[in-house]
């Protein structure tokens, strides 16, 4: 049986694009109606859905709508890729064990929304990238795979960031393959 995956993003969507170019993605979900990732989905001819938290009475209601979408499409695995919201209890109860996330640092180092900048500002010699299962904490779930990424002597924040992103694209694809997804 082929695993059906959905990718969740909030903004740029470069990880989404790299995943969608290599694996069959059933749909993209964004929590922002203006996310650039949506344009990428259009260019790839992929289905996408968007709704925003403030269109719902509560986070639970917002996540109920997401769960309905996932159920309707019989999604086996949710891949968070730059989805900038904490997964709440409603989505977790329905899909825990079936949600993974990519984080642009070597967890448990530098959790949170600014993993790249935080590592840079701390002056580390190496940072990294992590793919992990999602639990109720912030970037605390069980680690699936991670890779070290060096900060080089002549790096600027931009060049360091670019190296981290390149490592993300490679690692996410490796993990999906290891989880049994077949490339296109
Ligand atoms: C990635 O670095 C991801 O790890 C982080 O947010 C960034 C999203 O980039 N959580 P993109 O939207 O995939 O281009």
């Amino acid at each position: 049986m082929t695993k059906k995956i959905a990718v969740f993003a909030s903004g740029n969507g470069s990880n989404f694009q790299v995943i969608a170019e290599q694996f069959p993605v059933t749909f993209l979900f964004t929590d922002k109606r203006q996310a650039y990732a949506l344009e990428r989905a259009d260019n790839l001819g992929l289905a996408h859905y968007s709704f925003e938290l403030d269109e719902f009475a509560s986070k639970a209601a917002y996540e109920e709508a997401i769960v309905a979408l996932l159920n309707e499409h019989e999604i086996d695995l949710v891949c968070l890729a730059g989805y900038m919201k904490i997964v709440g209890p409603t989505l977790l109860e329905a899909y825990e064990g079936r949600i993974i996330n990519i984080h642009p640092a070597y967890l448990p180092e530098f959790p949170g929304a600014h993993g790249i900048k935080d590592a840079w500002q701390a002056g580390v010699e190496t940072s990294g990238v992590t793919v992990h299962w999602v639990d109720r904490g912030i970037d605390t779930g069980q680690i699936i795979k991670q890779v070290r990424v060096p900060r080089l002597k002549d790096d600027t924040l931009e060049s360091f960031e670019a190296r981290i992103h390149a490592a993300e694209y490679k690692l996410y694809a490796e993990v999906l393959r290891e989880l049994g997804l077949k490339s296109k």
Side-chain angles (χ1 to χ4, degrees), residues 12-15 82 102 104 165 168:
N12 181 33
S14 64
N15 277 282
I102 187 147
H165 288 312
E168 288 192 298

Side-chain angles (χ1 to χ4, degrees), residues 93-105:
E93 265 157 37
Y95 272 82
E96 189 156 19
R98 294 184 284 171
I99 312 177
I100 61 176
N101 179 46
I102 187 147
H103 181 74

Side-chain angles (χ1 to χ4, degrees), residues 33-46:
R33 291 188 182 275
Q34 303 302 324
Y36 182 66
L38 297 167
E39 235 172 283
R40 296 182 189 268
D42 281 336
N43 292 336
L44 290 159
L46 272 180

Side-chain angles (χ1 to χ4, degrees), residues 5-30 35-50 77-83 101-102 165 168-170 172-173 176 184:
I5 65 170
V7 179
F8 284 24
S10 297
N12 181 33
S14 64
N15 277 282
F16 154 67
Q17 173 150 354
V18 172
I19 293 168
E21 283 169 353
Q22 296 178 69
F23 300 92
V25 171
T26 302
F27 67 82
L28 166 74
F29 171 77
T30 74
Y36 182 66
L38 297 167
E39 235 172 283
R40 296 182 189 268
D42 281 336
N43 292 336
L44 290 159
L46 272 180
H48 55 75
Y49 300 91
S50 302
L77 185 70
V78 175
C79 303
L80 307 185
Y83 176 69
N101 179 46
I102 187 147
H165 288 312
E168 288 192 298
Y169 306 150
K170 194 163 165 274
Y172 222 147
L176 291 178
K184 283 208 241 180

